[in-house]
């Protein structure tokens, strides 16, 4: 291959090729079946207080089902742009459901344009009820798409609540602590496609710019291409290589606020220079729109004084999204 076709990363974009063996791959079967919830909670506490990220295995979702969702994801993004733009996110106003074209959403807009395309759904509604709540848009040319993608969303809702139960236990809270905040939670099921980049690659255009996630919890399914980078506590970027049979779990800003920085919502980004198309399927679970998040008293001490005030989940999250979408500039 000619040298000018190879990706040449700017020094600021080079990730250390370090194994994630130092970050745990947590077997959550004892959490799900109840055989040793406290041991899993202990491992979760180490992971979230040191890295903000972890892999989980034995999560109860079959690989064959995940593979089906990846397959229909690829087929969706292979559709003509005209078909995808009929489902554009701007059709859904503040509900934020539908297709986002390359550069249509930018997570770090002061530095980076995001070379990715997305498709978002959430809990089905008959009409727009407000930010994050409204009807989903579905591609009529892929009749199996709705059943698979919405089915995946529903499985992720269940798994995320189980994981949040483990996080509650890790904070010495009752396992059902988050349930009162999640009677009608905001959830987003996202499909992502990252074209591969070549030539000189710098921060101006990468797959997705550096960011923390906005809410409670993210469950990420990766294909085998790679490209996820996570910042460690020393400020170095470390590759989050795919591990078969696992999901990548990370927490968002609201859990960091809740724990008064005891747990870390870590910076991460995606750079795809593999020469292959990259697909990923992240699921985001938050809380009710009006749920209040403020530091737990157990996370406040003389050595760790209160660092945050109170925010509501929806206002915090919508403010972050409004900065990323052109059609929402006048909605805040």
């Amino acid at each position: 291959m000619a040298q000018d076709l190879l990706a040449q990363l700017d020094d600021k974009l080079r990730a250390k090729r370090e194994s994630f063996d130092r970050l745990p791959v947590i077997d959550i079967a004892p959490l799900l079946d109840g055989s040793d919830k406290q041991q899993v909670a202990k491992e979760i506490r180490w992971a979230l207080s040191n890295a903000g990220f972890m892999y989980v295995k034995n999560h109860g979702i079959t690989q064959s089902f995940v593979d089906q969702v990846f397959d229909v994801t690829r087929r969706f993004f292979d559709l003509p742009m005209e078909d995808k733009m009929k489902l554009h996110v701007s059709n859904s106003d503040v509900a934020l459901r539908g297709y986002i074209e390359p550069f249509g959403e930018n997570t770090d807009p002061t530095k980076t344009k995001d070379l990715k395309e997305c498709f978002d759904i959430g809990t089905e509604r008959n009409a727009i009820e407000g930010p994050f709540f409204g009807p989903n848009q579905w591609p009529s040319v892929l009749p199996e798409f709705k059943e698979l993608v919405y089915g995946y969303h529903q499985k992720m809702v269940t798994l995320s609540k189980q994981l949040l139960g483990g996080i509650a236990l890790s904070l010495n809270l009752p396992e059902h602590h988050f349930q009162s905040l999640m009677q009608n939670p905001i959830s987003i099921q996202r499909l992502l496609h990252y074209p591969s980049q070549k030539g000189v690659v710098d921060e101006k255009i990468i797959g997705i710019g550096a960011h923390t996630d906005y809410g409670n919890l993210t469950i990420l399914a990766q294909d085998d291409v790679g490209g996820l980078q996570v910042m460690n506590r020393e400020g170095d970027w470390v590759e989050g290589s795919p591990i078969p049979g696992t999901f990548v779990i990370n927490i968002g800003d609201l859990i960091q606020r809740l724990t008064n920085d005891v747990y870390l919502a870590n910076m991460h980004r995606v750079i795809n220079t593999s020469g292959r198309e990259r697909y990923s399927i992240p699921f985001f679970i938050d809380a009710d729109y009006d749920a209040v998040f403020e530091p737990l008293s157990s996370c406040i001490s003389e050595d760790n004084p209160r660092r945050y005030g109170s925010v509501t989940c929806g206002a915090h999250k919508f403010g972050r999204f409004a900065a990323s979408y052109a059609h929402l500039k006048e909605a805040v």
Side-chain angles (χ1 to χ4, degrees):
M1 181 180 294
Q3 182 64 32
D4 62 348
L5 295 181
L6 296 175
Q8 302 168 45
L9 287 180
D10 183 278
D11 286 342
K12 292 181 180 179
L13 298 184
R14 295 190 183 279
K16 287 190 174 182
R17 293 193 175 275
E18 295 179 5
S19 169
F20 264 77
D21 289 346
R22 293 178 299 160
L23 296 181
V25 179
I26 300 178
D27 184 347
I28 62 168
L31 174 68
L32 303 187
D33 65 23
S35 61
D36 198 346
K37 294 181 179 182
Q38 290 300 329
Q39 177 58 36
V40 177
K42 181 180 178 181
E43 294 178 35
I44 288 173
R45 185 176 181 90
W46 188 95
L48 298 185
S49 59
N50 286 283
F53 273 74
M54 59 189 178
Y55 297 97
V56 298
K57 66 178 182 179
N58 293 327
H59 43 66
I61 312 298
T62 66
Q63 189 59 48
S64 61
F65 180 67
V66 175
D67 290 344
Q68 289 181 69
V69 180
F70 268 111
D71 177 68
V72 81
T73 295
R74 294 183 187 98
R75 286 188 284 137
F76 172 78
F77 287 119
D78 282 344
L79 291 173
M81 181 60 73
E82 180 182 1
D83 289 342
K84 291 182 287 190
M85 289 298 288
K86 291 176 182 176
L87 308 173
H88 195 263
V89 67
S90 61
N91 298 338
S92 69
D93 194 36
V94 296
L96 296 171
R97 310 287 178 87
Y99 175 72
I100 304 104
E101 73 280 17
F103 308 128
E105 176 200 69
N106 296 294
T107 53
D108 190 12
T110 61
K111 289 184 179 180
T112 303
K113 294 178 69 175
D114 290 356
L115 183 58
K116 69 181 191 299
E117 53 180 342
C118 321
F119 185 81
D120 288 353
I121 69 159
T123 302
E124 194 67 81
R125 292 290 188 267
N126 292 324
I128 294 177
E129 299 175 1
F132 306 111
F133 292 97
N136 291 311
Q137 302 187 76
W138 300 107
S140 59
V141 293
L142 290 174
E144 68 276 34
F145 183 90
K146 178 178 179 179
E147 180 179 359
L148 285 168
V149 175
Y150 197 68
Y152 188 88
H153 171 274
Q154 297 300 86
K155 290 180 183 293
M156 291 297 107
V157 169
T158 299
L159 178 59
S160 64
K161 291 180 177 180
Q162 293 168 321
L163 288 166
L164 284 166
I167 291 174
L169 291 173
S170 78
L171 293 166
N172 298 314
L173 298 169
E175 184 175 1
H176 304 301
H177 171 81
F178 289 98
Q179 286 193 5
S180 63
L181 303 175
M182 300 176 69
Q183 301 303 302
N184 184 27
I186 299 167
S187 64
I188 299 175
Q189 179 61 67
R190 169 163 281 196
L191 311 178
L192 281 164
H193 168 226
Y194 297 95
S196 183
Q197 292 182 255
K198 48 190 180 180
V200 177
V201 179
D202 60 26
E203 283 185 294
K204 294 177 183 177
I205 298 178
I206 57 175
I208 185 169
H211 67 287
T212 59
D213 288 346
Y214 308 152
N216 273 0
L217 187 74
T218 303
I219 304 175
L220 173 69
Q222 302 190 81
D223 64 10
D224 63 354
V225 171
L228 173 65
Q229 297 183 0
V230 180
M231 182 178 284
N232 66 20
R233 284 190 178 272
E234 288 71 45
D236 296 321
W237 290 101
V238 180
E239 291 189 353
S241 303
I243 299 177
T246 69
F247 293 128
V248 178
I249 309 298
N250 66 281
I251 55 170
D253 298 338
L254 291 179
I255 297 294
Q256 179 164 332
R257 178 182 292 265
L258 182 74
T259 63
N260 202 39
D261 289 354
V262 173
Y263 285 2
L264 175 67
N266 211 341
M267 296 287 286
H268 53 287
R269 64 189 183 187
V270 171
I271 302 173
N272 181 17
T273 56
S274 67
R276 299 165 56 195
E277 307 295 296
R278 180 185 191 265
Y279 300 88
S280 68
I281 306 174
F283 170 82
F284 307 94
I285 191 76
D286 302 308
D288 298 340
Y289 193 90
D290 293 327
V292 176
F293 279 76
E294 60 186 1
L296 295 164
S297 59
S298 60
C299 294
I300 300 172
S301 66
E302 184 176 346
D303 292 333
N304 189 36
R306 181 172 178 142
R307 301 171 186 273
Y308 301 100
S310 301
V311 297
T312 58
C313 172
H316 168 78
K317 190 176 179 77
F318 190 69
R320 294 288 301 270
F321 269 81
S324 299
Y325 285 91
H327 80 278
L328 293 180
K329 295 300 183 185
E330 298 179 0
V332 293

